[in-house]
Amino acid sequence: MKTTKGIRNIFFSSSPDHHHHHHSKTTSSSSSVYSVSWSPCPSPPRPSTPLHTFSESMMEENIELAEAMITKWNPDTCSGFAKISSLFHDDRKEAKDFLKCVKDLQRAMRFFISQNSNSVLLIRAQHLMQIAMKRLEKEFYHILSDNRDHLDPESISGRSSHASEKSRDSTSDYEDDVESEDEIQTAGDSISEVEEVSTIAMNDLKLIAECMISSGYGKECVKIYKIIRKSIVDEGLYRLGVEQLSASQINKMDWEVLDIKIRNWLYAVKVAVKTLFSGERILCDYVFTSESSKESCFKEISKEAAIHLFQFRRDLTYGTSFPAISCL
């Protein structure tokens, strides 16, 4: 009965003074009951999670499959055919498989980051990703370099805007975001060989760019693109015969000589705006899906050429007093 009173005294008393005369008798019993009543129950063993185990096994398999493919095309250690060949030029099916392995590797890395950021498998996946990106950098560079003639701004600007529109309208990921080989071959009857080659090259550049950017290597991809494409734009401007003359040089020229240079400059501006800069804009918009990447690339590639082109107009204004110049 003492224990029962103790329980009621703890859980049901309305005030601290209630049953005060029983205090000395119930203290020890109350303490004992309180201790028993509030002691935490041992946690039951955590049930097994077969779904988690299955997911982990799938991610491990993704890493193993990716390792076989990526190691084969490691630019530092590959030998034989893989060493001297281009993945995208010589084995297009394997190129698509390579990109799929990279995508699966990304998925595995996200999984292990969420589970254990110190996982040995995560470290292994990160190492493989570095190798894969190094290979894609090499492929990206070779496609841009080997297709300078097919991807010149004049050829691109003269093409249909189909490629650019397709890029803007697409919402799928980089595996499905480009025209398939069958689509290109089907269209081959209505386009020239140059257009067909440039279409394939543009598709490959887009695939690689999206893969590298989604893997966190956008900076490396954009850097390669800017260097090569800027050299092409600068070369195109040079071929247009745009001279860089100072205001003092212009002021010393006879009107007949200056008139010829002005006509040449007007022609160069027309060609540069309609083909050189326009073609580069189309290619940037197609290769990159991110607006920031598009703008950054186009600005850095064309800025210096544009300044050089329109500097003549400025120097002409300040370097001569011919009345006809004011209308330019």
Side-chain angles (χ1 to χ4, degrees), residues 209-264:
E210 292 191 357
C211 184
M212 291 186 68
I213 291 172
S214 67
S215 301
Y217 286 77
K219 184 177 180 180
E220 291 80 356
C221 176
V222 167
K223 181 180 179 181
I224 295 171
Y225 185 89
K226 287 178 179 179
I227 291 173
I228 296 180
R229 294 308 302 179
K230 184 180 182 302
S231 68
I232 293 174
V233 170
D234 291 344
E235 182 182 340
L237 195 65
Y238 174 79
R239 288 180 177 179
L240 289 174
V242 178
E243 297 182 70
Q244 192 163 7
L245 302 172
S246 65
S248 60
Q249 287 176 311
I250 292 174
N251 195 39
K252 295 176 182 178
M253 288 182 181
D254 294 332
W255 169 246
E256 291 77 10
V257 176
L258 185 58
D259 182 56
I260 294 174
K261 292 190 178 295
I262 291 174
R263 292 177 186 276
N264 290 340

Side-chain angles (χ1 to χ4, degrees), residues 249-291:
Q249 287 176 311
I250 292 174
N251 195 39
K252 295 176 182 178
M253 288 182 181
D254 294 332
W255 169 246
E256 291 77 10
V257 176
L258 185 58
D259 182 56
I260 294 174
K261 292 190 178 295
I262 291 174
R263 292 177 186 276
N264 290 340
W265 176 77
L266 289 173
Y267 171 77
V269 169
K270 181 179 179 180
V271 173
V273 171
K274 287 188 175 182
T275 63
L276 195 63
F277 298 135
S278 175
E280 204 55 48
R281 174 87 262 185
I282 291 172
L283 188 60
C284 280
D285 286 350
Y286 186 81
V287 173
F288 300 102
T289 55
S290 164
E291 290 298 326

Side-chain angles (χ1 to χ4, degrees), residues 4-42:
T4 303
K5 289 180 181 179
I7 294 175
R8 294 183 66 180
N9 189 44
I10 293 172
F11 294 103
F12 301 104
S13 61
S14 58
S15 69
D17 296 328
H18 187 65
H19 298 307
H20 179 71
H21 60 284
H22 293 296
H23 177 72
S24 60
K25 295 181 180 181
T26 60
T27 299
S28 60
S29 298
S30 300
S31 300
S32 175
V33 173
Y34 181 86
S35 175
V36 172
S37 300
W38 288 90
S39 61
C41 297

